[in-house]
């Protein structure tokens, strides 16, 4: 794909007849471990990646927002800052932007309109947070152009609220937070209750490999919202505010009386929180055997207890894990129901991973998988001229 910065600037000039003032960027993310824990007040360990969403912008003097989506046939959307978002079943792509504008307005920030072109190099709809990066880059651009003193954490929360209220996914805070606050060469251990982040350095000879399974994610929002509801019910049965506060011991005490589905959902979340903390210790110690074991256990728990994997994804994890043979690991990543697998592998194994994906996964399933070797990157920022 051509350079998204140059593309966004070119399309800006063609669409609006003048040059963009600035380009902002917000990265996508891959979560190394800690899945479906964020909305339970738990721990996650994502890293921002060197693929993302770019926004070429120019401030306007009036209250109009004009947007061109370079990667969606240059579709356009135009609205006034004060416009209410029309309520409709189909949520158009422009709702991500309109949602951010609406949330900022509801917080009593005042700002003027802008012209903007969105372009990206992040595969969309495969679970690498293209939506969150669009929300974050929009929030950042509006804040900077209007001198609004909004810190990264707040920009993340605004993006999450926009997605919850105007896109219909009741997502947690992980994706927006890592997109806004990621650090180069690091993953972030995020405590999703206190919203504190601790940078965890990734060993220099370790590669973060993302394999897009080629399986389109479907019914994601409804299944995701169902899981979230189940976790909330499970917390009520356990008499805790959030599953973050539950223990496996307590879970076993009440196991007999339980709906087996709620029991399994809770078991995933409680055990995944502990695995995430253990993974930080393993990475810090450079213990890739232990990291591989934790990633495998996380995958199995998402497959069996949380039931968000798919057979083809399980197969992909299996063939990649076979190549790694305990030195590093692989697991599904993100919300699930299709999407990507993440592998942590020593850099000299990446070509073996590519080979096994082509020779076994693609050959046996016919899915159009793609392999990306990603650099753990910094969070959203303005792109220097
Ligand atoms: C999606 C959501 C996140 C998180 C993950 C699962 O990416 O947007 O908030 O819940 O799923 O870990």
């Amino acid at each position: 794909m051509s350079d998204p910065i140059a593309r966004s600037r070119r399309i800006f000039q063609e669409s609006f007849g003048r040059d963009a003032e600035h380009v902002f960027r917000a990265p996508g993310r891959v979560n190394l471990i800690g899945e479906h824990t964020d909305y339970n007040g738990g721990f996650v360990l994502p890293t921002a990646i060197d693929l993302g969403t770019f926004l070429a912008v120019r401030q306007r003097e009036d209250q109009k927002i004009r947007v061109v989506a370079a990667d969606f046939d240059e579709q356009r959307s135009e609205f006034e800052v004060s416009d209410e978002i029309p309520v409709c079943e189909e949520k158009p792509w422009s709702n991500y932007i309109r949602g951010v504008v609406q949330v900022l307005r509801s917080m009593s920030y005042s700002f003027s309109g802008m012209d903007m072109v969105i372009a990206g190099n992040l595969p969309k709809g495969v679970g690498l947070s293209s939506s969150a990066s669009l929300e974050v880059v929009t929030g950042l651009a509006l804040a900077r152009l209007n001198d609004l003193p909004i810190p990264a954490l707040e920009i993340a929360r605004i993006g999450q609220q926009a997605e919850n209220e105007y896109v219909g996914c009741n997502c947690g805070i992980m994706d927006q937070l890592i997109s806004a606050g990621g650090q180069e060469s690091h993953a972030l251990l995020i405590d999703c209750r206190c919203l504190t982040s601790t940078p965890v350095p990734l060993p220099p000879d370790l590669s973060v490999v993302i394999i897009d399974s080629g399986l389109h994610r479907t019914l994601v929002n409804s299944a995701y919202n169902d899981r979230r509801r189940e976790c909330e019910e499970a917390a009520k049965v356990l008499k805790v505010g959030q599953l973050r506060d539950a223990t496996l011991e307590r879970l076993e005490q009440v196991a007999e009386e339980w709906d087996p589905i709620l029991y399994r959902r809770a078991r995933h979340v409680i055990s995944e929180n502990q695995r995430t903390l253990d993974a930080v210790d393993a990475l810090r110690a450079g213990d890739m055997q232990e990291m591989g074991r934790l990633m495998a256990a996380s995958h199995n728990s998402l497959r069996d207890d949380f039931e968000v994997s798919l057979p083809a994804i399980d197969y992909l994890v299996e063939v990649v894990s076979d190549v790694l043979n305990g030195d590093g690991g692989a697991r599904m990543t993100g919300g699930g129901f299709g999407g990507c697998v993440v592998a942590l592998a020593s850099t000299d194994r990446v070509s073996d991973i590519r080979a096994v994906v082509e020779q076994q996964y693609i050959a046996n399933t016919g899915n159009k998988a793609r392999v990306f070797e990603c650099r753990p990157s910094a969070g959203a920022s303005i792109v220097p001229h």
Side-chain angles (χ1 to χ4, degrees), residues 45 94 132 146 174 179 188 209 249 263 270 277 336 367 374:
L45 188 63
S94 56
N146 292 281
M174 168 171 71
S179 179
L188 290 190
V209 183
E249 292 71 42
Y263 169 80
I270 300 169
L277 296 174
N367 294 327
C374 285

Side-chain angles (χ1 to χ4, degrees), residues 72 78 87 116 156 203 222 239 256 283 302-303:
F72 289 98
E78 192 172 316
V87 182
M116 55 200 209
S222 60
K239 299 195 172 49
E256 296 292 296
L283 280 175
L302 286 158
R303 181 192 63 202

